[in-house]
Amino acid sequence: MTDKNISPKLPKEFLSDLETAIGAKAMITNLDDIAPYMVEQRGRFVGETSLVVTPKTAGEVSDIVKLCAEHNIGIVPQGGHTGLVSGGIPFVGDNAIVLNTSRLNKIRAIDPVNNTMIVEAGCILQTIQEYAAKHDRLFPLSLGAEGSCQIGGNIATNAGGINVIRYGNTRQLVLGLEVVTPTGEIWNGLRALQKDNTGYDLKQLYIGSEGTLGIITAAVLQLFPKPKEQQTAILALKDLEDALPLLNLAQSMLGDALTSFELLPRIGIDFSLKHGQGVVDPIAGRYDWYILMEASVAITHSNLQELFESYLETAFERNWVQDGVLAQNKAQSDSFWLLRENITLCQRPEGGSIKHDVSVPVSSVPAFIKTANEAVQKMIPGIRPHPFGHLGDGNIHYNLSQPLDMDKQDYLNRWEEVNRVVHDIVHSFNGSISAEHGIGRVKRDENQHYKSPVEMQLMKSIKTTLDPKGIMNPGKLIPEN
């Protein structure tokens, strides 16, 4: 390697052996080419590295890890680079390399009879969804970044999304893993089994570990029959508290057919209408809170429509809903979901946004929102709370847009102060400060504040045992001291 941008801190022997193992084409060393890999999605942090490697096989990942272990060089695994907690970029001055999994993108096999699919870590989530659909199957993980996020990152962060109420988090959708350990060994745990009671369920250690215990290179995913019928509606609530009996009624009347139950605030709809493209207001009147819900079944000629309409009639009779629209076709259903997607995207044009990905028990969601709203409005007059998200599983994205008359940077400078207030309230409701985005760098110290010393010590013990040299995603998820 003769590139002038290579850091002298990386040993020449290491670079030479690495080039022999994976080839120069899999090594990005030009700083301009590296730059896009170093900025996290929200722009809060910029990382630093002199080398990005892009292996194409698990064997190449193994070779990279063995060399890094030999030379005590940190490795930051990176997938689609859509994470929201800066888990996929190295710290400035760490001299860690980035291992990007984009070229590990093969779909190795699909077994419609067994309802499983083997995919490599760099496969785009949407590609997996579409491939499953071609075989009349459903892979139900669905989230806003599905057009660019990679399944390895989804697994490493235990991603959630809109269908958790029916299908569970990513953890429930993975039957097996292939992982490169911190010593460079390849663990082939690609077992497409529903039942395997032969000891510790090792895959669960790696799911949600954010690359701190090993590098996921492939996975066996659980598939489901493709839905044949679905019903989608958006409903205007009489009051926020009415969302809970409305949800309970849906679970009672629709059962497992209920796939999504999303809470939307009026401010989110207003932002979407103002800044989004192709977004329409589905309900003529203006209301404080809305529910976007969907139910689906995998059989044709079911009674889903009848059940869904009966559910809506009951909800109106009990005065929990003031208005609503039942989608008459797929295009109208898609327009409802476009509105939901834009609620996330259209906060940025409104200035600074302090964000929280939290969960509380479903029964506590209304109380949490009201308590938190009162606290932050007292703290920063004029702040605009923007809580939305997956009511069905208690995961609320509690985002806060800046006051209209406040300087953006002055507002963002209070990020940690506001976080602490909100997270204290979450903790008081026995909730979690990270429901589906992970811990990464952004919430590492905050996580230590709320987890018990016993929990933190157990996590550190696992990390130390599996990665004694501390080379796997150093400084993320678990404090180094």
Side-chain angles (χ1 to χ4, degrees):
M1 299 294 294
T2 58
D3 196 304
K4 64 180 181 180
N5 289 316
I6 279 287
S7 168
K9 295 180 182 179
L10 292 174
K12 291 181 179 180
E13 181 185 356
F14 166 75
L15 295 170
S16 176
D17 289 345
L18 190 60
E19 183 175 356
T20 300
I22 67 174
K25 291 183 178 179
M27 301 170 67
I28 302 173
T29 59
N30 181 277
L31 296 182
D32 290 337
D33 295 333
I34 286 173
Y37 297 89
M38 292 297 101
V39 182
E40 57 98 34
Q41 191 180 79
R42 289 174 176 166
R44 291 188 66 205
F45 300 99
V46 177
E48 180 183 73
T49 188
S50 56
L51 179 63
V52 175
V53 291
T54 58
K56 198 172 183 179
T57 67
E60 289 185 353
V61 175
S62 172
D63 290 339
I64 294 166
V65 174
K66 286 178 181 177
L67 286 169
C68 286
E70 179 183 344
H71 292 277
N72 290 315
I73 294 171
I75 310 168
V76 178
Q78 185 184 92
H81 207 30
T82 62
L84 298 174
V85 291
S86 299
I89 59 173
F91 289 91
V92 173
D94 258 12
N95 201 37
I97 70 169
V98 168
L99 189 152
N100 186 278
T101 58
S102 297
R103 295 174 69 221
L104 283 160
N105 57 9
K106 294 184 181 66
I107 295 176
R108 296 185 185 176
I110 187 167
D111 185 345
V113 175
N114 198 46
N115 281 313
T116 55
M117 189 175 181
I118 302 178
V119 302
E120 293 184 343
C123 287
I124 301 297
L125 175 56
Q126 186 173 330
T127 301
I128 294 171
Q129 296 167 340
E130 292 171 350
Y131 195 83
K134 288 180 181 178
H135 291 80
D136 200 35
R137 291 296 179 266
L138 169 74
F139 183 61
L141 181 64
S142 181
L143 42 131
E146 61 193 31
S148 55
C149 65
Q150 297 174 11
I151 192 64
N154 299 146
I155 296 169
T157 58
N158 188 30
I162 62 175
N163 294 327
V164 171
I165 188 175
R166 166 65 179 86
Y167 298 102
N169 289 305
T170 302
R171 189 178 297 280
Q172 283 74 47
L173 302 175
V174 176
L175 294 178
L177 290 178
E178 176 185 83
V179 177
V180 176
T181 72
T183 58
E185 297 174 290
I186 300 175
W187 170 53
N188 185 346
L190 295 174
R191 304 183 188 94
L193 302 174
Q194 294 289 345
K195 292 184 176 181
D196 180 9
N197 200 12
T198 55
Y200 300 131
D201 193 354
L202 296 179
K203 69 176 181 293
Q204 297 298 346
L205 277 177
Y206 296 102
I207 299 172
S209 67
E210 302 185 37
T212 61
L213 302 179
I215 299 173
I216 295 166
T217 53
V220 181
L221 304 180
Q222 175 73 67
L223 305 180
F224 297 84
K226 185 179 177 181
K228 300 298 191 297
E229 296 182 15
Q230 71 178 37
Q231 297 289 321
T232 311
I234 188 162
L235 309 174
L237 297 177
K238 180 175 176 291
D239 190 81
L240 177 58
E241 281 80 1
D242 292 326
L244 295 182
L246 195 65
L247 171 61
N248 290 337
L249 181 68
Q251 292 171 323
S252 297
M253 295 186 68
L254 302 174
D256 286 344
L258 182 65
T259 53
S260 303
F261 202 88
E262 299 286 295
L263 179 68
L264 314 179
R266 182 66 220 183
I267 188 174
I269 292 177
D270 287 341
F271 285 4
S272 297
L273 293 171
K274 182 178 178 181
H275 303 292
Q277 294 184 351
V279 181
V280 296
D281 196 338
I283 297 176
R286 291 177 59 84
Y287 304 93
D288 291 337
W289 297 99
Y290 301 78
I291 292 294
L292 172 57
M293 60 179 295
E294 189 164 277
S296 63
V297 292
I299 58 174
T300 55
H301 308 297
S302 71
N303 64 341
L304 179 62
Q305 182 176 347
E306 179 183 341
L307 282 174
F308 204 87
E309 290 175 349
S310 177
Y311 162 74
L312 295 178
E313 289 175 5
T314 304
F316 275 99
E317 288 171 0
R318 297 185 181 179
N319 203 30
W320 295 332
V321 175
Q322 298 187 81
D323 202 350
V325 178
L326 176 62
Q328 298 303 302
N329 49 51
K330 187 178 185 303
Q332 191 172 24
S333 173
D334 289 345
S335 73
F336 293 171
W337 285 109
L338 178 64
L339 174 65
R340 164 65 177 85
E341 181 178 344
N342 272 273
I343 281 184
T344 301
L345 299 175
C346 293
Q347 293 171 55
R348 184 171 295 179
E350 290 291 322
S353 178
I354 297 177
K355 302 177 185 296
H356 308 83
D357 163 45
V358 302
S359 64
V360 295
V362 173
S363 57
S364 299
V365 168
F368 159 70
I369 290 176
K370 290 193 172 184
T371 302
N373 283 358
E374 290 176 3
V376 298
Q377 286 167 339
K378 181 178 180 181
M379 184 180 187
I380 304 178
I383 198 171
R384 294 174 290 170
H386 195 282
F388 68 99
H390 321 303
L391 179 66
D393 55 51
N395 175 196
I396 298 300
H397 299 292
Y398 188 75
N399 296 349
L400 300 164
S401 291
Q402 69 175 75
L404 291 171
D405 59 352
M406 189 173 186
D407 177 75
K408 179 179 178 179
Q409 193 55 53
D410 287 345
Y411 176 70
L412 293 178
N413 287 342
R414 302 188 68 176
W415 189 296
E416 293 184 4
E417 179 187 356
V418 173
N419 274 179
R420 178 52 57 86
V421 169
V422 172
H423 289 161
D424 279 351
I425 295 170
V426 170
H427 189 65
S428 74
F429 281 97
N430 294 315
S432 168
I433 67 169
S434 182
E436 62 180 2
H437 293 165
I439 296 297
R441 166 183 181 169
V442 172
K443 295 184 179 181
R444 185 193 66 182
D445 296 336
E446 195 80 343
N447 194 40
Q448 187 172 221
H449 178 77
Y450 293 104
K451 276 193 177 294
S452 72
V454 172
E455 282 182 287
M456 290 306 304
Q457 187 55 52
L458 286 171
M459 290 172 63
K460 290 177 181 178
S461 297
I462 293 170
K463 168 72 171 174
T464 301
T465 300
L466 295 184
D467 181 23
K469 291 190 174 184
I471 65 171
M472 287 294 172
N473 213 1
K476 311 297 171 45
L477 182 58
I478 300 172
E480 293 182 312
N481 47 39

